[in-house]
Amino acid sequence: MLLSNWTGASTVPSRGLYPHQWSWDSAFIAIGLRHLSVRRAQRELETLLHAQWADGRVPHIVFNPAVPHDAYFPSPDFWRSSSAGAPAGAPGGTETSGIVQPPVHALAAWLVHLADPEDSRRRGFLPRVYGRLAAWHDYLTGPRDLGGGGLAAMVHPWEPGMDNSPCWDGPLRRVEPAASGSYRRADLDHGQPSERPTDLDYGRYVRLATDYRDSGYADAGTAHAFAVEDPCVNALLIVSEHALARIAAETGADPAPHRERAARLTGALVARLWSPEAGMFLCRDLVGEELVPERSVAGLIPLIVPGLPGEVVDALLATATGASFRLGEVPMVPSYDFSGADFDPSRYWRGPAWFNTNWLLERGLRQYGRTVAADRLRSAMLAAAGASGFAEYVDPFTAEARGTRDFGWTAALALDLLVAAHEGGASAPATGDAAADGAVTGEPIGADA
């Protein structure tokens, strides 16, 4: 399936619904591809990073010029990156979107390197990507620190990756939707309307993207109708910052600034997004200046962060296994609270279980010594991936396929889990600096990475 979705330079998430290159999809896909072809995994990341803007942002879509504009919306002629994005340094010869997605890329690059360090060094893979990855993190912690508290903010619901999460319902109520006749929803050509965002939500997405484009994709100093700090995005930034420290050391650069930034981000994550009452991390609405009470899987993902306070880890595990997410009772953890008023087992990010979020949770469980739970989740994910035809997402109760089929990161992460199962991969409890290494590499703590 990964081979069939390969375009020659990158992998599409799916041939029909998503015919271009997506940012965090490619990072997850590279993690799986490294087991088939290290060079193809390297190429996956390098293709994406070559579309990076001069301000450091890595766009969430890199458009394939051979694909007709009406195959996907918003298309290149909507984003107008080379013209509207020129003030922010958008590339002139490659059309992209103007928004971003979660920063999994440094983690992916380090794991790709570890798959064959000799080939990586021979080809100079890490030296080629290190500067771009560092600039990407500088962008997220600089212009995107809209709240001033040290965390990266997202300015569109598509940016955190969990596009249609109920977490965005409150902040989106401030947004006047674009007129229904001003755009065409190409996603409904490939998916069931009952599994996709509503027309009202989609109209708001289009309005936000239009306003951001018309501002020249400006961040600081711009009034954003939607601006949130998301725990999944910032947890991935922390883990990728740890990975970037390893990459720096491998390439002869100084790893200390990356370790220091990871520590600062971890402190800010706990200080700004941790809710003892909810027993999990919550999103912060920067416009409304409050935590969003909705409970999504994003609030559990920080289990991948090494060195969290013990009481935070214990509460996260209790929440994950409790009535809201039922880890260990259902095949895979849902994207949204089972008991939430807006839970829907079939609709995009409002309840279905996703393979990338569960892959991250599996790593987090291993990091904090819950290997039995991690093994059980890994087995359930592999069973669901195969039985569903590598579906985009699945019903959290039955693991029946939902969304599109032959989905890139589902196949890639299933491959990664298969290799780990074959090799008996499991991490010891996380403590200290060695824990950070284990969290990044996925290897047993103390292993020579």
Side-chain angles (χ1 to χ4, degrees):
M1 206 225 77
L2 287 172
L3 298 177
S4 69
N5 282 15
W6 176 253
T7 66
S10 63
T11 308
V12 297
S14 73
R15 285 287 181 180
L17 184 56
Y18 305 106
H20 301 285
Q21 182 179 25
W22 262 258
S23 172
W24 76 327
D25 291 73
S26 276
F28 286 121
I29 287 167
I31 290 169
L33 275 178
R34 68 192 171 118
H35 303 297
L36 291 177
S37 169
V38 169
R39 293 196 177 188
R40 185 167 288 189
Q42 293 172 358
R43 181 77 180 277
E44 184 81 38
L45 294 172
E46 289 176 320
T47 299
L48 177 70
L49 291 173
H50 282 153
Q52 185 174 28
W53 293 24
D55 66 0
R57 83 181 73 193
V58 175
H60 98 296
I61 301 174
V62 180
F63 289 105
N64 181 348
V67 175
H69 282 189
D70 62 1
Y72 180 81
F73 180 85
S75 52
D77 56 340
F78 172 89
W79 294 105
R80 304 172 201 161
S81 64
S82 57
S83 55
T94 302
E95 291 299 321
T96 74
S97 67
I99 60 174
V100 302
Q101 279 188 325
V104 198
H105 312 90
L107 171 63
W110 181 246
L111 292 176
V112 168
H113 167 76
L114 290 179
D116 191 339
E118 290 186 7
D119 180 79
S120 176
R121 292 174 186 131
R122 185 166 54 250
R123 300 191 68 242
F125 170 62
L126 291 182
R128 286 201 304 276
V129 300
Y130 171 63
R132 292 179 179 271
L133 292 170
W136 169 218
H137 289 198
D138 287 345
Y139 169 75
L140 291 171
T141 56
R144 281 302 187 94
D145 181 11
L146 300 178
L151 297 181
M154 303 287 99
V155 300
H156 193 288
W158 289 338
E159 291 197 316
M162 303 181 193
D163 309 13
N164 197 36
S165 170
C167 294
W168 318 139
D169 290 356
L172 279 174
R173 291 191 185 101
R174 297 186 292 262
V175 179
E176 181 68 25
S180 59
S182 63
Y183 62 92
R184 186 186 77 83
R185 292 190 59 178
D187 63 315
L188 297 182
D189 295 341
H190 304 280
Q192 296 294 327
S194 62
E195 297 179 3
R196 302 295 299 170
T198 65
D199 287 340
L200 175 61
D201 285 334
Y202 211 90
R204 287 168 167 156
Y205 303 155
V206 174
R207 169 64 62 197
L208 285 169
T210 300
D211 291 348
Y212 193 40
R213 177 197 68 199
D214 293 348
S215 77
Y217 297 108
D219 294 314
T222 300
H224 297 280
F226 180 97
V228 301
E229 292 172 348
D230 176 78
C232 176
V233 169
N234 284 282
L236 287 167
L237 179 57
I238 293 166
V239 171
S240 281
E241 197 67 42
H242 282 296
L244 206 54
R246 299 300 298 269
I247 293 171
E250 171 69 26
T251 59
D254 184 3
H258 301 298
R259 291 174 181 151
E260 292 164 3
R261 179 183 281 173
R264 289 196 303 272
L265 284 164
T266 301
L269 178 73
V270 175
R272 292 182 64 80
L273 303 187
W274 174 248
S275 170
E277 297 77 19
M280 64 188 303
F281 291 88
L282 299 176
C283 300
R284 179 174 291 277
D285 177 7
L286 296 177
V287 180
E289 299 182 344
E290 61 184 356
L291 290 176
V292 177
E294 303 294 344
R295 296 153 60 93
S296 86
V297 70
L300 301 178
I301 299 300
L303 276 170
I304 64 174
V305 173
L308 289 177
E311 64 272 17
V312 170
V313 174
D314 291 343
L316 281 173
L317 293 168
T319 300
T321 55
S324 292
F325 295 97
R326 296 170 60 181
L327 171 68
E329 295 181 36
V330 293
M332 291 165 57
V333 172
S335 51
Y336 178 65
D337 182 354
F338 277 122
S339 62
D342 295 298
F343 173 80
D344 185 327
S346 298
R347 194 177 290 277
Y348 203 62
W349 289 112
R350 302 181 79 85
W354 289 72
F355 289 88
N356 66 327
T357 56
N358 278 267
W359 181 86
L360 291 167
L361 287 174
E362 194 261 1
R363 292 176 70 83
L365 290 169
R366 291 194 188 284
Q367 175 177 207
Y368 286 105
R370 273 56 175 192
T371 55
V372 173
D375 287 345
R376 185 182 301 119
L377 180 57
R378 179 170 64 192
S379 296
M381 291 173 65
L382 287 170
S388 69
F390 301 106
E392 184 180 6
Y393 46 92
V394 297
D395 184 293
F397 297 111
T398 66
E400 293 181 74
R402 296 289 184 267
T404 191
R405 309 301 191 267
D406 296 332
F407 196 68
W409 77 32
T410 303
L413 297 177
L415 180 58
D416 189 65
L417 292 172
L418 281 167
V419 171
H422 177 70
E423 295 177 349
S427 295
T431 55
D433 291 340
D437 290 345
V440 171
T441 64
E443 299 177 353
I445 302 304
D448 181 7

